[in-house]
C-alpha cells in the first residue's frame, strides 16, 4: 500500500519541481538583466532584437560609459599632478628664499652659499616679526611691550627690586646696544639712499629725541627712533631691526655628577631654634634624598653652642650621618670670616662649596643645580633665591597658617625674587682660594658677599646668575635697633616693610579701618532690608 501511495505522489512531486525551476529561471533573468541610468532594462521582447544582440548592445553602452569615466578620471589626476608640481615649486622657492634655521649649515667649503643662506634667514626674521603689520594675539597679556629711551635714560617696565622705572643703562651690553643704534640711525640720516648728490643738513646725536624698542625672543629687536626735522613740527623717523640668527649647536656632552660632593658651610651664632629647623630641611633634602653632601658649621661664641651641637649629634645618630664638621671660634660674629674659615678648613679633594645661612630652605633639585652650574676654573653659580613674606600677614585671613612646605610657593602674593642678595653661592673650593676668598676686614653681617661677587665679575670666570625654584629665604623678623642713625633707621624700616608683604597686602593693612567700616555698613544695610 505504501508503494502504491508513493507511485501516486511521484507525478505531483515532478510537477512541483518543474514549477519551482521555472520560477527560479524567471527570478534569475530579472535579477541579472542590466539596468539603465534611471530604470531597469526590460527583457528582450519577441518582435525586438534577439536576447544575445540585446545583451551585446547593453554591454557596449556600459563599456563606453566606463571608458568615458576613466578618461575623465585620468584628466583630473593629470590636473592634480600639475597643480601639485606647481605648489611644490612654490614651496621650494619659499624654502630657498627663507631657509629653515635647522637647515642652515655654515659650509666653509662654500662660504658664498653659507653667507647667502644666512642673509636670507635674517631677512625672513623681519617678515616674521611684528614690523610691517600686526599679528593676532590671544589675550592682552600676549602683547610684547616696548620700552623707551633717550640719550641718557631708559624707561622700563620690568624693574625687579634693584632696577628703577627710570635709570641710566648700567649694564654695558645694554648701554653699548643703544649707543650703536643711535649711531646707525644718525649715519642713515646723513647718507640717505638714492639721493647722494643732494645737499642735506648734518644730523648728530643731539638731534635724537626719543626711541622705543622691544625684543621678540625668537626673532629679534625692533627699534623706532625719532629725530628733529627741518622745522618745529617735522620729524625724522628711523626704524631698525636687529634680527636674531639661527640657533647653533655649541656643545653636546654627558655630565656625571654621581661623585660630586657639596660642602654646605653655615656660619652661626646662637639661633638654636632656627638651626633645628634648618637641620630638618638638611636631613630630608641633603641626607635622605641627595646623599652626596657634607655639612660644616662654623660657630661663634659659646652661648647656645651645646644646644646646637646636640641637634647636630642627634641628626648624626638618627640618620647615620658622619659627614659633618663643627668649628668653634671665640670671637665676634662675622659671616665672611665664618665662611672663609669653613672653606679653608676642608682638606679633601676639590669640592663644591655652598655658602648658606640658617634661615635658608633648599631642595634636592637645587643641589643638582648647584653642581651643574659650577665648573672649576670656568663657572661659579650665584642663584637668585625666592624670599618669603611674613606668613602672619599672608595667611592672616586663614583659620591657621599652613605648614612650612605648603608656604613655599613662588607667587606674587607669597614673596619676591631677592635679586639684590649675593650671599647664597656655589663655587669650587679651588676657585674660591684662587680669587682670594672673603674680605676679612668686614665685620658683622652684610657686605662680604658683594665684595666676593665683584671679584668673580672682575675675573675671567663665567658667573651664572639666575632665579632658581628650589632655594627659599624664610621670613624672620628684622630688628631695627635704637643705636642706628635716623637715616640708617629709615633705611632699615624700608627694608623691613619690603620683606613683610607685597604692595597690595601692605595697602590692605593701611586701609584696614576703612575696609572694616565699609563691611559694617554693608551688614547693617542688609539687616534693614
Amino acid at each position: 500500500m505504501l508503494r502504491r501511495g508513493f507511485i501516486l505522489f511521484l507525478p505531483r512531486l515532478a510537477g512541483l519541481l518543474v514549477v519551482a525551476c521555472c520560477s527560479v529561471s524567471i527570478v534569475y533573468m530579472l535579477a541579472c538583466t542590466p539596468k539603465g541610468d534611471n530604470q531597469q532594462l526590460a527583457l528582450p521582447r519577441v518582435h525586438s532584437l534577439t536576447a544575445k544582440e540585446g545583451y551585446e548592445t547593453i554591454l557596449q553602452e556600459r563599456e563606453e560609459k566606463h571608458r568615458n569615466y576613466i578618461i575623465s578620471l585620468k584628466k583630473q589626476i593629470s590636473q592634480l599632478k600639475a597643480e601639485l608640481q606647481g605648489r611644490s615649486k612654490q614651496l621650494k622657492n619659499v624654502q630657498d628664499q627663507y631657509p629653515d634655521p635647522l637647515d642652515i649649515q655654515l659650509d666653509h667649503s662654500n662660504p658664498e652659499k653659507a653667507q647667502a643662506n644666512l642673509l636670507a634667514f635674517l631677512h625672513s626674521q623681519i617678515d616674521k616679526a611684528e614690523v610691517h603689520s600686526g599679528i593676532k594675539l590671544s589675550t592682552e597679556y600676549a602683547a610684547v611691550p616696548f620700552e623707551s629711551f633717550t640719550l641718557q635714560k631708559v624707561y622700563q617696565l620690568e624693574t625687579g627690586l634693584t632696577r628703577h622705572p627710570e635709570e641710566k643703562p648700567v649694564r654695558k651690553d645694554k648701554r653699548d646696544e643703544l649707543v650703536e643704534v643711535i649711531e646707525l640711525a644718525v649715519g642713515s640720516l646723513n647718507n640717505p639712499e638714492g639721493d647722494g648728490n643732494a645737499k642735506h643738513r648734518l644730523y648728530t646725536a643731539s638731534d635724537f629725541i626719543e626711541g622705543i624698542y622691544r625684543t621678540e625672543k625668537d626673532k629679534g629687536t625692533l627699534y623706532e627712533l625719532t629725530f628733529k626735522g627741518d622745522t618745529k613740527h617735522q620729524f625724522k623717523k628711523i626704524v631698525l631691526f636687529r634680527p636674531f640668527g639661527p640657533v647653533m649647536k655649541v656643545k653636546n656632552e654627558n655630565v656625571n655628577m654621581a661623585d660630586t660632593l657639596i660642602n654646605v658651610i653655615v656660619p652661626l651664632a646662637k639661633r638654636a631654634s632656627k638651626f633645628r629647623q634648618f637641620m630638618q630641611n638638611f636631613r630630608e633634602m641633603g641626607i635622605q634624598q641627595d646623599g652626596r653632601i657634607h655639612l660644616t658649621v662654623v660657630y661663634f661664641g659659646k652661648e647656645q653652642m651645646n644646644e646646637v651641637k646636640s641637634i647636630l649629634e642627634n641628626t648624626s645618630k638618627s640618620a647615620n650621618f658622619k659627614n659633618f664638621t663643627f668649628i668653634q671660634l671665640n670671637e665676634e660674629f662675622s659671616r665672611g670670616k665664618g665662611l672663609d674659615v669653613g672653606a679653608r678648613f676642608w682638606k679633601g679633594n676639590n669640592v663644591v662649596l655652598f655658602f648658606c645661612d640658617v634661615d635658608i630652605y633648599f631642595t634636592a633639585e637645587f643641589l643638582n643645580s648647584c653642581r651643574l652650574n659650577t665648573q672649576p676654573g670656568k663657572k661659579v653659580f650665584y642663584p637668585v633665591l625666592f624670599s618669603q613674606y611674613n606668613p602672619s600677614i599672608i595667611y592672616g585671613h586663614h583659620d591657621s597658617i599652613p605648614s612650612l612646605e605648603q608656604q613655599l610657593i613662588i607667587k606674587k602674593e607669597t614673596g619676591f625674587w631677592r635679586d639684590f642678595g649675593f650671599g647664597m653661592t656655589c663655587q669650587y673650593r679651588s676657585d674660591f682660594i684662587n680669587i682670594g676668598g672673603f674680605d676679612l676686614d668686614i665685620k658683622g653681617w652684610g657686605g662680604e658677599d658683594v665684595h666676593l661677587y665683584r671679584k668673580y665679575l672682575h675675573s675671567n670666570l663665567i658667573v651664572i646668575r639666575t632665579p632658581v625654584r628650589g632655594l627659599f629665604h624664610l621670613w624672620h623678623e628684622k630688628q631695627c635697633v635704637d643705636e642706628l642713625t635716623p637715616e640708617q633707621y629709615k633705611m632699615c624700616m624700608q627694608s623691613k616693610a619690603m620683606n613683610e608683604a607685597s604692595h597690595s597686602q601692605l595697602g590692605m593693612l593701611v586701609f584696614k579701618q576703612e575696609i572694616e567700616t565699609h563691611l559694617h555698613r554693608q551688614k547693617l544695610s542688609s539687616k534693614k532690608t
Side-chain angles (χ1 to χ4, degrees):
M1 185 164 180
L2 288 172
R3 184 178 179 186
R4 184 181 175 188
F6 178 76
I7 293 172
L8 292 172
F9 179 71
L10 190 60
R12 296 179 183 176
L13 180 61
L16 288 172
L17 289 172
V18 171
V19 172
C21 290
C22 292
S23 300
V24 169
S25 300
I26 294 171
V27 171
Y28 174 80
M29 292 182 68
L30 290 173
C32 296
T33 302
K35 298 179 181 180
D37 292 336
N38 300 320
Q39 62 182 4
Q40 183 177 336
L41 292 173
L43 291 172
R45 293 188 293 271
V46 177
H47 299 290
S48 64
L49 295 171
T50 64
K52 182 179 180 181
E53 292 173 341
Y55 284 125
E56 287 178 351
T57 303
I58 293 170
L59 288 173
Q60 289 176 359
E61 291 176 355
R62 301 294 286 177
E63 186 178 354
E64 185 67 25
K65 288 181 180 179
H66 283 303
R67 189 182 296 110
N68 292 336
Y69 182 64
I70 290 171
I71 292 172
S72 175
L73 286 177
K74 287 182 177 180
K75 186 176 181 180
Q76 292 180 39
I77 291 171
S78 177
Q79 291 174 348
L80 288 172
K81 283 183 177 180
E83 187 175 352
L84 181 61
Q85 288 176 353
R87 294 291 176 89
S88 298
K89 189 174 181 180
Q90 291 177 2
L91 181 60
K92 188 176 184 303
N93 291 336
V94 172
Q95 289 175 340
D96 291 341
Q97 185 178 1
Y98 305 130
D100 191 288
L102 296 178
D103 292 335
I104 292 180
Q105 301 293 332
L106 298 182
D107 185 4
H108 297 288
S109 63
N110 191 350
E112 292 183 0
K113 183 179 179 181
Q115 185 177 2
N117 286 343
L118 183 59
L119 188 62
F121 173 79
L122 295 178
H123 279 294
S124 74
Q125 293 287 70
I126 300 176
D127 294 331
K128 294 175 186 175
E130 203 171 350
V131 177
H132 301 298
S133 61
I135 58 175
K136 294 181 179 179
L137 301 174
S138 56
T139 70
E140 64 272 24
Y141 303 107
V144 181
F146 283 86
E147 293 182 348
S148 58
F149 64 99
T150 62
L151 281 175
Q152 302 295 333
K153 297 288 181 67
V154 174
Y155 303 86
Q156 53 206 1
L157 291 176
E158 299 179 4
T159 58
L161 292 173
T162 58
R163 297 166 63 194
H164 302 283
E166 176 198 77
E167 68 177 13
K168 292 183 178 180
V170 177
R171 278 175 31 194
K172 184 178 183 299
D173 62 328
K174 177 59 66 177
R175 187 168 62 248
D176 292 347
E177 173 195 9
L178 297 180
V179 168
E180 179 190 10
V181 166
I182 294 172
E183 289 177 350
L184 284 172
V186 170
S188 178
L189 289 171
N190 290 328
N191 297 283
E193 296 179 0
D195 201 9
N197 296 326
K199 291 185 177 181
H200 299 278
R201 57 171 286 192
L202 187 66
Y203 287 88
T204 65
S206 61
D207 295 311
F208 174 63
I209 301 174
E210 68 172 357
I212 59 174
Y213 69 97
R214 70 172 176 187
T215 300
E216 294 182 72
K217 299 296 179 66
D218 59 335
K219 301 177 183 70
T221 303
L222 173 66
Y223 309 88
E224 296 186 8
L225 296 90
T226 303
F227 290 81
K228 297 174 185 176
D230 295 330
T231 64
K232 180 180 179 180
H233 299 294
Q234 286 185 347
F235 303 92
K236 288 284 188 178
K237 197 165 188 177
I238 299 292
V239 178
L240 303 172
F241 188 77
R242 186 192 301 273
F244 293 158
V247 177
M248 299 178 66
K249 183 175 72 176
V250 176
K251 186 185 294 185
N252 184 351
E253 62 179 349
N254 294 321
V255 182
N256 186 359
M257 294 294 175
D259 300 322
T260 304
L261 185 71
I262 295 179
N263 185 3
V264 181
I265 304 178
V266 180
L268 187 63
K270 305 176 186 178
R271 306 186 72 186
S273 60
K274 282 289 183 181
F275 184 70
R276 180 176 286 105
Q277 178 180 268
F278 173 82
M279 286 306 297
Q280 291 175 353
N281 171 225
F282 183 88
R283 174 175 176 168
E284 180 184 354
M285 299 298 173
I287 301 174
Q288 296 176 353
Q289 293 192 29
D290 187 83
R292 297 156 292 165
I293 200 163
H294 185 97
L295 176 63
T296 300
V297 177
V298 182
Y299 197 85
F300 290 81
K302 293 184 178 180
E303 189 177 350
Q304 299 185 18
M305 183 184 72
N306 291 333
E307 187 177 353
V308 168
K309 289 180 72 175
S310 176
I311 295 169
L312 191 58
E313 290 168 358
N314 289 337
T315 302
S316 173
K317 291 177 183 178
S318 60
N320 192 24
F321 178 70
K322 306 299 181 184
N323 293 339
F324 69 92
T325 303
F326 186 87
I327 305 170
Q328 195 262 334
L329 300 177
N330 289 318
E331 54 185 90
E332 183 185 355
F333 177 83
S334 168
R335 184 177 186 271
K337 176 69 176 291
L339 294 172
D340 199 272
V341 168
R344 296 179 188 276
F345 190 85
W346 178 261
K347 303 304 180 186
N349 295 329
N350 200 12
V351 66
V352 177
L353 304 176
F354 171 33
F355 294 151
C356 190
D357 289 335
V358 74
D359 50 10
I360 294 297
Y361 182 97
F362 59 84
T363 65
E365 288 77 13
F366 166 75
L367 295 177
N368 272 331
S369 296
C370 188
R371 294 182 178 96
L372 291 168
N373 288 292
T374 53
Q375 187 177 346
K378 186 78 173 180
K379 292 189 297 186
V380 294
F381 186 38
Y382 271 84
V384 180
L385 52 79
F386 193 76
S387 192
Q388 182 189 34
Y389 286 138
N390 187 346
S392 300
I393 296 178
I394 299 171
Y395 305 102
H397 59 287
H398 291 203
D399 296 333
S400 61
I401 297 177
S403 65
L404 176 61
E405 287 73 17
Q406 292 175 321
Q407 294 176 32
L408 300 178
I409 304 171
I410 299 177
K411 292 175 64 177
K412 189 177 182 179
E413 297 79 16
T414 60
F416 60 95
W417 291 115
R418 204 177 187 89
D419 56 354
F420 53 83
F422 306 96
M424 308 312 123
T425 172
C426 300
Q427 66 254 263
Y428 271 86
R429 182 178 180 274
S430 58
D431 293 327
F432 176 78
I433 299 298
N434 292 335
I435 207 73
F438 283 103
D439 184 351
L440 300 182
D441 293 332
I442 299 175
K443 304 298 182 183
W445 196 287
E448 79 293 331
D449 51 354
V450 179
H451 282 76
L452 180 64
Y453 182 63
R454 288 172 180 168
K455 285 183 179 181
Y456 283 123
L457 292 178
H458 297 157
S459 73
N460 292 324
L461 275 72
I462 300 172
V463 177
I464 306 295
R465 180 75 167 159
T466 179
V468 290
R469 66 182 186 277
L471 191 63
F472 296 87
H473 177 267
L474 303 180
W475 180 86
H476 57 84
E477 187 175 0
K478 187 176 181 66
Q479 300 290 342
C480 297
V481 296
D482 294 335
E483 289 77 12
L484 296 173
T485 66
E487 185 63 27
Q488 288 176 328
Y489 189 82
K490 179 182 177 182
M491 292 176 63
C492 181
M493 291 301 294
Q494 289 175 341
S495 175
K496 182 175 181 177
M498 185 174 61
N499 285 273
E500 285 293 307
S502 67
H503 192 143
S504 60
Q505 289 164 335
L506 289 175
M508 295 295 285
L509 292 176
V510 171
F511 298 111
K512 182 178 180 181
Q513 185 62 44
E514 188 175 334
I515 294 169
E516 289 178 351
T517 302
H518 170 75
L519 294 175
H520 181 67
R521 289 173 180 170
Q522 289 286 324
K523 190 175 181 180
L524 290 177
S525 62
S526 62
K527 285 183 178 179
K528 291 179 181 179
T529 57

